[in-house]
Each structure stands twice: as C-alpha cells, then as structure tokens.
Amino acid sequence: MTTCWYEGALAAFDTETTGVDVETDRIVSAAVVVQDAPGVRPRVSRWLVNPGVPVPAEATAVHGLTEEHLQHNGRWPAPVMYEIAEVLAEQAHAGRPVVVMNAPFDLTLLDRELRRHRASGLDRWFEPAPLLVLDPRVLDKHLDRYRKGRRTLTDLCAHYGVTLEGAHDASADAVAALEVTRAVGRRFASRLERLAPGELHTLQAVWHAAQARGLQAWFARSGVEESVDPAWPLRPDLPAAA
C-alpha cells in the first residue's frame, strides 16, 4: 500500500529576515530540514547571513540576531542563496514535498535575494523538476475555514498539539511547520489521503487565491487600504523592481 504524503518523507524551509517586505527586506538566517519518516530525527541544514544592510531593532527583537552578530558570524548572501536554492532543488529532484509556512513570503524573499545576488530567479532551479510545496497556513485555512482566531505558526502549533521549541529560530520553525503539516494531514485524512503532492500543490494555489480574495473583500468592508496578493507559492517579479 502506498504511504500517504503526510506519513512519508517531507522537507521544510524557513527564513528569518530584516523585516516583512519581500521586495526590500533580506534573509539573515535560513534552514532546510529533511525528515525521512514521522518520528525520525530530521537532518538540518542551517545558514547565517550577513545581509549587508542594517538589521532593524524590531527584527532583532523577533529572532534575536543582531547586526553585529551577523557581521561577525554571517556569510555573504550570494553563495548562501545559491546553496539554499540548490538544496531546495535537490528536494524537487527527489520528489520530496517541501513544507513552507506562508510560502509566498519565504519563497518570494529567496527569489528576490537570488535576483539581487545571483542575477536569476528561483524558478530556473526548478526547470528539471518542479518544487512541490505544502503550506500549512493555506491547508488549515481551507480545511477548517470557519475556525475563529489567528493562524500564525504558534497558533497552529497550539491548535494541532505540536511543540514549538525556540520560536523564530529558522530550524525550529521549519521542524514545527513540518509537524503541523503532518497533523493537518492526519486530521483531514478523509479529504487529503487520495491527493498526490502535485495535485495538492495545484489545489493550494487555487485555495490561496480564494482566501486572498476573501481577505481583500474584508479589508474593503473594513476600510483598510491594503492589497492582498493572490499568487502562491511565489509572487511574480515586479517589473519596476530592477
């Protein structure tokens, strides 16, 4: 019998950054974790980056990484972004789904960093084999759409009974997101077990777009002037972002 995707091998990717603007902020740390099966100790790849720009105190307050620490211990962005993209491409080649909580944030940031430092976007790394993304935020929001409350990683961990140790550390967050995704799969097994990761990737793009439209409508009713990007898992490059 074929193993369901949520009981099989999964990877996860997470970043810590200088802020929340995917077009201008930078990655200061990143992690990719690979777990061959539930309960198996994951293999962790970590990167610490000297972003070459100031690190705001508000960002340091979140992840604890100071500008001074990154200048002394971080590596230059260009080789790091290459290595991260290479590791993600390895997951794609292996057909191993990659969990990315709020994927349009982390993957778009990585794409912009690659364009900034390597003169090519993230897409080219997945021309031989597509990256199959599992976004627990999109999955949970679609499968349990009427539940009240926020859906941050901390909230999802509490809801699904996942222990989050060392929140806002890239590797800890990646492991937690992976465990949440397995928990979502098990809880909604009747709706997910027959779906292959490739099918689920396509469906999540549709679900996220619908979620974005719903949020945009709510903003409009509330008088909030904020636009919600429907693109998933990667936002298109801005023509003026050169």
Side-chain angles (χ1 to χ4, degrees), residues 19-233:
V20 296
D21 187 329
V22 295
E23 302 299 340
T24 58
D25 280 306
R26 310 296 173 91
I27 293 172
V28 296
S29 74
V32 174
V33 304
V34 179
Q35 189 182 45
D36 293 325
V40 174
R41 179 185 287 273
R43 302 187 296 280
V44 182
S45 301
R46 295 183 179 87
W47 295 268
L48 198 62
V49 186
N50 177 359
V53 299
V55 179
E58 308 88 77
T60 298
V62 172
H63 49 58
L65 298 169
T66 64
E67 193 170 327
E68 183 182 25
H69 179 76
L70 293 167
Q71 285 174 351
H72 284 97
N73 300 285
R75 295 167 57 206
W76 288 114
V80 171
M81 302 311 151
Y82 182 93
E83 288 171 19
I84 295 171
E86 202 167 45
V87 170
L88 290 176
E90 287 170 10
Q91 310 313 311
H93 182 73
R96 190 180 294 118
V98 178
V99 172
V100 192
M101 171 76 185
N102 192 17
F105 179 76
D106 294 83
L107 293 181
T108 304
L109 256 165
L110 177 58
D111 175 79
R112 303 311 190 250
E113 288 278 46
L114 285 165
R115 292 172 187 275
R116 193 175 287 128
H117 298 290
R118 306 293 310 193
S120 72
L122 187 59
D123 281 347
R124 87 162 184 87
W125 292 88
F126 305 114
E127 285 164 5
L131 185 67
L132 303 175
V133 178
L134 296 170
D135 188 334
R137 191 166 181 269
V138 174
L139 291 171
D140 172 72
K141 214 169 179 181
H142 177 77
L143 294 160
D144 197 0
R145 67 181 69 185
Y146 300 113
R147 190 176 82 250
K148 302 290 187 188
R150 287 153 50 86
R151 298 182 194 241
T152 66
L153 180 59
T154 304
D155 297 316
L156 294 185
C157 284
H159 182 71
Y160 287 98
V162 171
T163 302
L164 175 54
E165 295 175 359
H168 299 297
D169 167 83
S171 56
D173 285 358
V175 169
L178 189 152
E179 293 297 344
V180 165
T181 302
R182 291 197 189 281
V184 171
R186 290 171 187 139
R187 185 167 299 187
F188 297 97
S190 62
R191 296 164 68 182
L192 294 175
E193 63 186 355
R194 292 179 184 83
L195 294 170
E199 295 173 299
L200 202 48
H201 180 102
T202 302
L203 284 169
Q204 286 170 100
V206 175
W207 297 342
H208 178 272
Q211 291 162 9
R213 287 194 299 272
L215 184 57
Q216 191 74 73
W218 185 83
F219 280 159
R221 290 195 301 274
S222 307
V224 177
E225 291 187 17
E226 191 173 328
S227 62
V228 185
D229 197 319
W232 183 96

